[in-house]
Amino acid sequence: MIRDITIGQYYPADSPIHRLDPRTKLFGTLVYIVSLFFADNLWCYGAATLFLAAAVRISRVPFRFIVRGLKAVVFLLLISVSFNLFLTDGRVLWQAGFLKITDAGLRLALFMGLRLAYLVIGSSIMTLTTTPNQLADGLEKSLGFLNRARVPVHEISMMMSIALRFIPILVEETDKIMKAQMARGADFESGNVIRRAKSMIPILVPLFVSAFRRATDLAMAMEARCYRGGEGRTKMKPLQYERRDGFAYAVLLAYLAAVIALRLIW
Amino acid sequence: MNIIKAVNLVFDYIRRDEDDKVEEVSRALDHLNLEIEEGSFVAVLGHNGSGKSTLAKQINGILLPTEGTVWISEMDTADENLLWEVRKTAGMVFQNPDNQIIGNVVEEDVAFGPENIGVPTPEIWRRVDESLRATGMAMYRKRSPNRLSGGQKQRVAIAGVLAMKPRCIVLDEPTAMLDPNGRREVIRTIRELNRAENITILLITHYMEEAIDADRVIVVDGGKIVMDDVPRQIFSRVEELKRYSLDVPQATELAWELRQGGVDLPDGILRREELVEALLPLLKGRKGCQ
């Protein structure tokens, strides 16, 4: 189950979206998320659906990879949908005990569910089509102005990209430790929440120890390859806006304008 | 000129307690002297805790000598102003392939070193191309390192070092975590680099088979160099090696046992083929008698 988190899992392909500048994609994701919170009627969600479907299609990432990210938030999704569904006041359509479904609740639940699902899918598309390093580069460059405020932007982005690189490795390790503990009779499934949380300790301790060991090794390997912070560093792939980025920005703004218009009109 | 020169090299691991008082000192290198010629392929053998890894880390300034001096092509590793020059000249590959790959895509990882030393972008691309070709990893350049086998990951790590154009590569047990196939791949790559690009190789290992093809084998024990010769000479001293808790290559071991049993075999057999060749006439001779 922990393997299903898609964030930080790059899907290599050669699509127009893959080739976009990471800054464009970051900004695009941001705009998309804003538009989701702005949307409050079916037309707006229709536009959001179309936009998302087009992006998925153009990205050439297989659909199952995209949905995989959703699995991790299924629980959250169910909770928020059912809360909205059963606990909103309005014209009652159906009632059983204290649970009732109202027209407003139905509407809210639908929108909430879509909003959450689209949010996850939208950001998954970004992480699936952008290598974490590009992503970190994009953040580093977009937030470069913070450098003047003494925020160590380069260091933060390096930390982020390393963290992302080690997610799959640590997930695999967690799996291995869990199996090793299970082979020795550990039980992660039964008991109440507290007991289950307690049973995670024999996983977390070795995981942390090994993470620290890896960190020491990695630091040494980075120093051996002359890493000394962002100063004087060149880039293999310096970020440069191309014509397609201009086009993407135009599409994005048109989409945002459309959502705003749809909201204001209806 | 010798690319690596260590004189009277001492290194102590110092363990301190909470009040920063010295609790324990263990001497990893003990007045060690070493010179390595440019372009040679040297294997360093030693059992666990013999000081061989510590020696490796001295060579590109990850650890600095407690006493004595290490020169890498006449640069003192303890000189802070030269540190990055030293690390550029002597690259290092570590044991765990996962813990030394920084990039999320093979080519980005190979570019990490050149980026750090400020190589201009077009030159980075050239170097990445060259290094990936030299290690035979060009077809994997767009892959995620997580999807590669151990041997392939180590070759990516080697390519990453190679892209910094070092004159010497130190490999600290690069095959210890690999399966036999991966091990062969890595060793073949190293040997090829030594031959084709004339890069000095210092291979730290505890697999004897990997030392056979070296120009020179150094045995470290208790922080000192105890044997230093060509492989054939080293491996003919089977008893001495065993005293340092080292094995000998399988074929050598068998030949040695046979000789103990009274079979007339020459000294210094390293490979299986050599053993077969030495045994065949003996067997034929016996058949002739019957």
Side-chain angles (χ1 to χ4, degrees), chain A residues 99-150:
Chain A
L99 291 176
K100 57 179 189 296
I101 294 177
T102 64
D103 57 343
L106 201 61
R107 192 182 145 90
L108 256 180
L110 177 69
F111 287 174
M112 202 52 174
L114 281 178
R115 187 175 286 170
L116 264 175
Y118 286 4
L119 209 118
V120 172
I121 294 177
S123 30
S124 295
I125 291 178
M126 178 182 71
T127 51
L128 280 164
T129 59
T130 320
T131 69
N133 273 26
Q134 283 173 334
L135 207 62
D137 272 3
L139 278 176
E140 188 180 345
K141 199 129 183 207
S142 332
L143 301 178
F145 62 90
L146 285 177
N147 245 337
R148 251 170 276 151
R150 306 216 164 194

Side-chain angles (χ1 to χ4, degrees), chain A residues 4-263:
Chain A
D4 294 336
I5 303 168
T6 346
I7 292 177
Q9 284 285 38
Y10 176 63
Y11 180 85
D14 192 26
S15 78
I17 294 197
H18 280 79
R19 270 177 270 140
L20 282 180
D21 189 290
R23 284 170 291 176
T24 316
K25 284 186 263 191
L26 273 169
F27 184 71
T29 312
L30 204 69
V31 164
Y32 188 69
I33 291 172
V34 168
S35 82
L36 283 179
F37 282 98
F38 209 70
D40 73 339
N41 63 43
L42 269 179
W43 292 103
C44 291
Y45 279 101
T49 311
L50 267 179
F51 185 79
L52 195 65
V56 169
R57 196 61 203 277
I58 298 168
S59 73
R60 285 191 208 144
V61 178
F63 196 64
R64 63 195 162 88
F65 274 87
I66 290 166
V67 188
R68 210 181 273 177
L70 267 185
K71 275 193 214 152
V73 293
V74 147
F75 195 58
L76 191 72
L77 203 68
L78 280 179
I79 289 181
S80 73
V81 165
S82 43
F83 267 67
N84 277 303
L85 189 60
F86 294 119
L87 301 174
T88 314
D89 288 323
R91 195 162 56 85
V92 177
L93 301 173
W94 174 87
Q95 190 156 22
F98 70 97
L99 291 176
K100 57 179 189 296
I101 294 177
T102 64
D103 57 343
L106 201 61
R107 192 182 145 90
L108 256 180
L110 177 69
F111 287 174
M112 202 52 174
L114 281 178
R115 187 175 286 170
L116 264 175
Y118 286 4
L119 209 118
V120 172
I121 294 177
S123 30
S124 295
I125 291 178
M126 178 182 71
T127 51
L128 280 164
T129 59
T130 320
T131 69
N133 273 26
Q134 283 173 334
L135 207 62
D137 272 3
L139 278 176
E140 188 180 345
K141 199 129 183 207
S142 332
L143 301 178
F145 62 90
L146 285 177
N147 245 337
R148 251 170 276 151
R150 306 216 164 194
V151 180
V153 178
H154 166 80
E155 280 72 12
I156 292 173
S157 97
M158 179 57 84
M159 270 155 59
M160 228 183 69
S161 88
I162 287 173
L164 285 171
R165 154 146 166 75
F166 276 88
I167 287 173
I169 293 175
L170 290 179
V171 165
E172 210 168 290
E173 189 135 297
T174 314
D175 234 33
K176 223 186 274 173
I177 295 171
M178 265 176 114
K179 278 186 192 133
Q181 306 287 37
M182 268 147 92
R184 283 183 261 165
D187 176 11
F188 302 117
E189 252 98 82
S190 59
N192 57 20
V193 183
I194 296 169
R195 261 197 64 178
R196 266 200 253 177
K198 264 191 182 162
S199 70
M200 292 310 254
I201 293 172
I203 298 174
L204 289 179
V205 172
L207 190 65
F208 267 78
V209 170
S210 122
F212 277 112
R213 200 165 292 153
R214 280 180 197 281
T216 324
D217 276 10
L218 190 72
M220 192 159 43
M222 286 170 75
E223 280 203 352
R225 284 164 78 182
C226 292
Y227 179 72
R228 55 198 132 162
E231 233 171 288
R233 230 175 154 250
T234 46
K235 295 261 167 164
M236 181 196 199
K237 299 170 180 168
L239 295 180
Q240 237 163 3
Y241 278 127
E242 311 261 342
R243 187 178 288 165
R244 55 173 166 264
D245 293 300
F247 182 70
Y249 272 112
V251 171
L252 260 175
L253 292 179
Y255 161 72
L256 191 63
V259 172
I260 294 172
L262 285 169
R263 176 181 165 148

Side-chain angles (χ1 to χ4, degrees), chain B residues 14-26:
Chain B
I14 299 171
R15 225 178 56 202
R16 290 172 195 277
D17 59 9
E18 282 128 44
D19 307 323
D20 216 32
K21 274 196 221 113
V22 176
E23 201 172 61
E24 197 186 318
V25 176
S26 56

